[in-house]
Amino acid sequence: LWDYALNYLLDIVVKAVEDGARFRTLDCLKVIKAILKNNPLGLELDSRTVGKLFYLYKTFIFHKNEEIQACANLLVRFQCLNDDGVSWLVSNWNRSEHSLNRLLRYPKKHPLITQWAKSIYQQGQLRDRQAEIAALLIDESIPPFVTEDEDTIVWAIYHSRVSDEIKQRLLMERFSVESLDSLWKVSVRLRYSAVIE
């Protein structure tokens, strides 16, 4: 019933956009956002539904109204996109803080995002987001070309898309007096008692 209601509304809004019809954009996006947030069983959305959400995201993410942008941004939060969708995010990352955040906080590892992050890192771009960029590059280990200070590396491990087992091992490997404060904060947040001990 929940996903039926979501798709019913999505179909109406998508058709209105395609037909160039006038409608209350912000109100409609808010209702879709509320339905998504009220996912009773934590149901995973099928690719067709995610496709409709991403269509609306692309339509409204660069809207002149910031509230509409913010609503559109939440439509694809936590959603895994198809390769075309990820490619679109990579091509448009510098047009908005929202599209940048969707890349930096993408829920799973994706080769296109890893490739983008490596390029951004090696060009020295986004210096204020280094931990999140480095996080996208971590796999079983930290790549040798990632040469940040210990604090940044510890936060990169925190943000990385690897298993808890790998995170704990990497955090233990990074133990140093300089990074003690960050190690403590990250281990408490992740509830890693072995690292805390």
Side-chain angles (χ1 to χ4, degrees), residues 101-180:
N101 286 338
R102 289 291 59 79
L103 274 177
L104 293 178
R105 295 168 191 168
Y106 196 75
K108 289 183 180 166
K109 279 195 89 60
H110 192 288
L112 289 173
I113 296 176
T114 305
Q115 194 182 337
W116 168 81
K118 185 176 181 181
S119 167
I120 291 292
Y121 185 86
Q122 291 179 326
Q123 290 167 32
Q125 291 180 279
L126 297 172
R127 294 296 307 161
D128 58 328
R129 309 289 295 265
Q130 282 306 283
E132 291 165 282
I133 296 287
L136 297 170
L137 302 169
I138 294 173
D139 215 337
E140 290 285 322
S141 61
I142 291 140
F145 62 83
V146 174
T147 55
E148 296 301 310
D149 61 77
E150 287 301 318
D151 280 332
T152 305
I153 298 282
V154 167
W155 284 104
I157 294 166
Y158 171 75
H159 289 295
S160 66
R161 314 302 187 276
V162 294
S163 68
D164 285 324
E165 188 186 343
I166 294 172
K167 280 187 187 185
Q168 288 186 70
R169 176 175 57 75
L170 291 175
L171 287 170
M172 286 175 165
E173 286 171 8
R174 302 313 292 199
F175 179 81
S176 70
V177 176
E178 305 89 75
S179 65
L180 203 53

Side-chain angles (χ1 to χ4, degrees), residues 46-58:
D46 62 58
S47 58
R48 257 185 77 246
T49 306
V50 173
K52 293 176 210 173
L53 289 167
F54 189 62
Y55 172 78
L56 294 178
Y57 171 86
K58 287 192 299 184

Side-chain angles (χ1 to χ4, degrees), residues 53-70:
L53 289 167
F54 189 62
Y55 172 78
L56 294 178
Y57 171 86
K58 287 192 299 184
T59 304
F60 297 113
I61 198 60
F62 306 125
H63 197 279
K64 60 183 184 297
N65 179 318
E66 284 185 20
E67 216 180 335
I68 288 176
Q69 283 182 29

